Amino acid sequence: MEPGAGQARTPLAPGLGGAVQGIAFEEPLVFEHGSRGRCGVALPAAPGPEVASDLPPGLVRGPVEGLPELSELETVRHFTRLSAWNHGIDTGFYPLGSCTMKYNPKSSEALARLPGFANVHPLAPAELVQGALELMYQLERALSEIAGMDATTLSPAAGAQGELCGLMVIRAWHEAHGNPRKKVLIPDTAHGTNPASAALNGYTCVQLASGPDGRLHPEAVAAAMDQDVAAIMITNPNTLGIFESHIAEIAAIVHAKGGLVYGDGANMNALLGVARPGDMGFDVIQYNLHKTFATPHGGGGPGSGPVAVKATLAPFLPLPVVVKEGEGYRLVTEVAERPGTVGKLREFWGNFGMFVRAWAIIREYGPEGLKATGELAVLNANYARARLKGTYNLPYETDSLHEVVFDDKAQKATGVTTMDVAKRLIDHGFHPPTIYFPLVVHGALMIEPTETESKEAIDAFVDAMLAIAAEAVADPEAVKAAPLKPVRARLDETRAARRPVLRWTPGMKVE
């Protein structure tokens, strides 16, 4: 060996998802790059002080201490290197349960970026944006039909704001009938945003226990239902991936005492084109366009959370509302035209680019394609379930729909936990499933393949899960030491949650 040469590492074997080692770059914070006076663009000379003084003082930003000054190349390399640290759906399998990390066709992206859509100004007069308004109208009609509802608002900015909107509409409806009521019933399998949305509307949340089959049962609802209950919030299928088969009877119990039935549409992908919430007895449902149709996910947003309602609730939907008059379209923006409205939830029309993406995929797939989406999502989840059952514990034997929840009970004797399994999957090249949720399952592993993955991709993931289970028996410490291949190994997640550092400040020490 030449003097000074490093000792070659023993190469790690490729994971079952194809993950190998390669060149990755340690990357400083952007604030630690560049130097004073460096610039990424060629700008004309700054205007004189007399021009700057024309701006209102409130719009003139003062100097920012520590703001980095970088060249274009430094900027591109910085963000490209950081992007290589991440796992995305374009990189590999991403079975994050309840999040529906499906692949978004690039055709939808291309259509959303057409100049006529991408450059439309939100304050443009209606006569100049008839195409955009027609798209909004057609999407509103399609979403209403798919959900089995009568009207849909497009304005909520994401699923969580859609929940907030749906509860605002429910409260407004009750107030119009003389009593807003006091309580909202929520099963123990609900998403965490459900009680938050109810509380923000001034309601007390009453948790209902699921039965031993993972379903909500009518007798539990009947025992809690009274004249103070404004609504029940139900996700169907629920966060165990189980269809709430008693929903019609539950809806009848709630309606009989003047309450309303809210549907959390986060899992709508399982029902798409197969069943309609409005036919089951739901009065309100919010969509998450990124989960059900082709729009960006998470940090790649923005999102969109349209809310569909029955006719009796339509007068209370937020503004604006797009309407068709003759052969033309316009936005209803004035409260005088909709005196029952809960008002505006946000600026302008909603996230229009998301409307284009969702409408594009609805038109591309058509009714049969949307139905196939729901069917294939359920088939893929049940294929993974069938192959993993017996190796991983299935806490609920009830049939699954689009996702399946296992736990780490079968691995307990080895000392390997759900967290260890999740970290080891990274070494194989897979994003971990959702873990430790839903809360009713201790050590939960929630797997949602979605309809966009092939049998080969699901097989590779299942093979990795089986290999980890075998490794947990043969060499548990190897599993507990994972991950070994990413740029960053296992992080202190407790510290990150309890002592987050969200903003750089000059002179701070980066650990």
Side-chain angles (χ1 to χ4, degrees):
M1 180 181 296
E2 294 292 331
Q7 179 66 47
R9 287 197 302 170
T10 301
L12 298 173
L16 290 166
V20 296
Q21 294 167 287
I23 294 177
F25 295 89
E26 186 57 76
E27 185 61 17
L29 297 177
V30 71
F31 300 98
E32 298 166 344
H33 279 291
S35 64
R36 189 168 182 78
R38 192 169 296 172
C39 184
V41 295
L43 296 173
E50 67 281 0
V51 176
S53 65
D54 289 340
L55 296 172
L59 298 180
V60 178
R61 190 173 68 181
V64 179
E65 185 182 5
L67 193 68
E69 298 177 64
L70 288 76
S71 69
E72 178 178 332
L73 179 56
E74 287 175 310
T75 306
V76 169
R77 280 184 179 160
H78 174 72
F79 288 105
T80 301
R81 288 177 174 184
L82 289 183
S83 71
W85 290 11
N86 284 330
H87 183 104
I89 193 69
D90 288 356
T91 307
F93 192 58
Y94 208 135
L96 203 60
S98 201
C99 292
T100 316
M101 304 297 287
K102 61 166 67 177
Y103 174 74
N104 296 333
K106 297 298 180 273
S107 57
S108 297
E109 285 294 316
L111 292 172
R113 292 168 194 243
L114 289 173
F117 289 137
N119 298 332
V120 63
H121 195 285
L123 296 180
E127 58 270 24
L128 297 183
V129 290
Q130 283 294 294
L133 293 178
E134 181 180 0
L135 185 146
M136 292 175 65
Y137 179 83
Q138 297 292 350
L139 177 62
E140 188 274 338
R141 289 291 79 216
L143 294 177
S144 298
E145 175 65 23
I146 291 169
M149 298 292 185
D150 298 303
T152 300
T153 174
L154 303 177
S155 64
Q161 195 182 31
E163 279 184 34
L164 179 69
C165 169
L167 267 293
M168 290 172 69
V169 169
I170 286 173
R171 185 178 182 89
W173 184 86
H174 280 297
E175 286 176 341
H177 287 76
N179 180 9
R181 302 198 173 193
K182 300 175 181 176
K183 299 183 292 186
V184 171
L185 307 181
I186 302 176
D188 55 7
T189 56
H191 290 106
T193 47
N194 288 182
S197 298
L200 285 171
N201 276 281
Y203 288 118
T204 299
C205 301
V206 179
Q207 181 170 291
L208 303 180
S210 302
D213 58 353
R215 291 187 168 112
L216 181 63
H217 287 261
E219 50 268 31
V221 178
M225 189 65 207
D226 59 31
Q227 304 293 338
D228 282 335
V229 173
I232 186 170
M233 298 183 78
I234 302 176
T235 307
N236 199 16
N238 62 31
T239 57
L240 293 168
I242 296 172
F243 185 74
E244 295 284 4
S245 55
H246 305 294
I247 189 64
E249 189 175 351
I250 289 171
I253 291 170
V254 174
H255 289 152
K257 293 197 175 180
L260 297 171
V261 183
Y262 180 92
D264 181 332
N267 291 340
M268 186 67 189
N269 209 45
L271 306 180
L272 196 58
V274 178
R276 306 194 307 170
D279 298 337
M280 302 176 193
F282 286 96
D283 301 295
V284 187
I285 182 173
Q286 112 276 343
Y287 283 98
N288 301 57
L289 291 189
H290 61 283
K291 295 184 180 181
T292 311
F293 305 103
T295 73
H297 225 296
S304 184
V307 175
V309 299
K310 289 294 190 183
T312 187
L313 294 166
F316 304 97
L317 289 176
L319 300 176
V321 175
V322 62
V323 295
K324 183 177 182 181
E325 295 177 341
E327 297 302 316
Y329 304 87
R330 73 177 179 94
L331 290 173
V332 175
T333 59
E334 299 299 325
V335 174
E337 282 195 69
R338 296 287 177 106
T341 178
V342 297
K344 287 193 72 173
L345 286 181
R346 52 161 303 162
E347 74 285 2
F348 305 131
W349 311 356
N351 289 327
F352 180 73
M354 305 304 111
F355 305 160
V356 179
R357 292 169 172 87
W359 179 235
I361 204 69
I362 289 172
R363 288 297 306 272
E364 180 180 347
Y365 284 0
E368 291 305 314
L370 293 179
K371 182 172 182 238
T373 294
E375 292 172 340
L376 194 54
V378 173
L379 176 64
N380 282 353
N382 278 276
Y383 179 66
R385 168 180 165 145
R387 286 204 60 200
L388 289 170
K389 184 180 178 182
T391 301
Y392 288 88
N393 181 60
L394 196 59
Y396 293 92
E397 290 283 346
T398 309
D399 292 342
S400 300
L401 286 190
H402 69 305
E403 60 192 6
V404 57
V405 178
F406 291 97
D407 64 29
D408 57 4
K409 187 176 180 180
Q411 284 69 45
K412 279 293 184 186
T414 69
V416 168
T417 66
T418 285
M419 180 65 78
D420 300 324
V421 174
K423 298 299 184 185
R424 195 55 164 155
L425 279 168
I426 297 172
D427 282 335
H428 282 281
F430 299 106
H431 193 285
T434 293
I435 57 174
Y436 299 108
F437 184 82
L439 300 179
V440 292
V441 176
H442 182 74
L445 280 154
M446 183 199 285
I447 300 167
E448 183 181 4
T450 83
E451 77 282 0
T452 58
E453 295 294 340
S454 67
K455 178 177 179 295
E456 292 81 0
I458 299 171
D459 275 333
F461 170 77
V462 170
D463 289 344
M465 288 283 289
L466 297 175
I468 293 169
E471 188 178 28
V473 176
D475 187 3
E477 293 308 312
V479 182
K480 296 172 76 66
L484 302 176
K485 293 178 181 174
V487 176
R488 292 286 180 267
R490 195 174 299 209
L491 303 176
D492 185 343
E493 298 188 23
T494 302
R495 179 186 168 197
R498 293 185 175 179
R499 293 163 50 197
V501 180
L502 304 178
R503 184 176 183 181
W504 179 86
T505 54
M508 73 178 291
K509 181 181 179 183
V510 180
E511 300 179 31

